[in-house]
Amino acid sequence: MTTRTAETGTRELERAWMERAVELATESVAGGGGPFGALIAKDGEIVALGNNRVTADLDPTAHAEVSAIRAACKKLGTFSLAGCTLVTSCEPCPMCLSSSLWARVDRIIYAADRHDAAVAGFDDRKFYDLFEKRPQEAWPLEIVHLDLPNRTQPFDAWIAKSDRIDY
């Protein structure tokens, strides 16, 4: 197989995955969830699906991407999604982007962007701005550092644990 043929096949597969993510998002709306869908793919196969369940589950962290990450980790039996691609119907918010980084996802592919989401009433741009431009003192919540003498106790226990699984 030539490189050009392989690239064309990859693009077609990614387009099919994206179509599935958009379909999941649309189905989510019909099922009482938010208009977001995502999937995790590895080695050319879909591993897990997710859709937005924030209002349905009363869980502000139940975004489509996080749901797909959780399902993929369970299915693969690992907390690392190295070698995987996250395909999502919309640009990941800062939480989902951070979750993807923690999960070690190799790639993210998305369709709609943050501006498209804002038109529909999902304006996460303020969160992007918060992380990108504003010093912590200007954030809309108070962040307090309480320095305790035993603040490193959990880390000390972790370092001393001989059978820990590093990540």
Side-chain angles (χ1 to χ4, degrees), residues 15-82:
R15 181 171 291 282
W17 291 340
M18 185 58 69
E19 291 290 340
R20 182 64 178 123
V22 170
E23 184 179 283
L24 286 167
T26 305
E27 291 169 358
S28 180
V29 172
F36 303 94
L39 62 86
I40 300 289
K42 184 174 185 174
D43 300 328
E45 300 291 329
I46 294 174
V47 174
L49 307 174
N51 67 291
N52 182 285
R53 304 278 310 156
V54 170
T55 57
D57 293 352
L58 304 177
D59 180 353
T61 67
H63 289 204
E65 298 89 341
V66 173
S67 297
I69 288 168
R70 289 173 178 161
C73 287
K74 282 186 180 180
K75 183 167 184 181
L76 296 173
T78 181
F79 57 84
S80 174
L81 297 180

Side-chain angles (χ1 to χ4, degrees), residues 79-152:
F79 57 84
S80 174
L81 297 180
C84 293
T85 299
L86 169 64
V87 181
T88 181
S89 64
C90 188
E91 180 180 8
C93 72
M95 178 186 71
C96 293
L97 181 57
S98 296
S99 297
S100 300
L101 290 167
W102 275 108
R104 310 299 195 264
V105 169
D106 283 1
R107 265 176 100 219
I108 299 172
I109 304 170
Y110 66 91
D113 66 19
R114 65 183 84 172
H115 308 292
D116 298 318
V119 170
F122 295 91
D123 195 354
D124 293 343
R125 293 176 297 191
K126 61 186 171 194
F127 300 133
Y128 287 99
D129 291 345
L130 180 69
F131 286 103
E132 293 172 358
K133 300 177 186 171
R134 298 174 84 189
Q136 258 187 9
E137 298 79 36
W139 288 21
L141 75 159
E142 184 180 13
I143 301 172
V144 177
H145 175 220
L146 182 58
D147 190 9
L148 297 177
N150 63 342
R151 70 185 180 280
T152 63

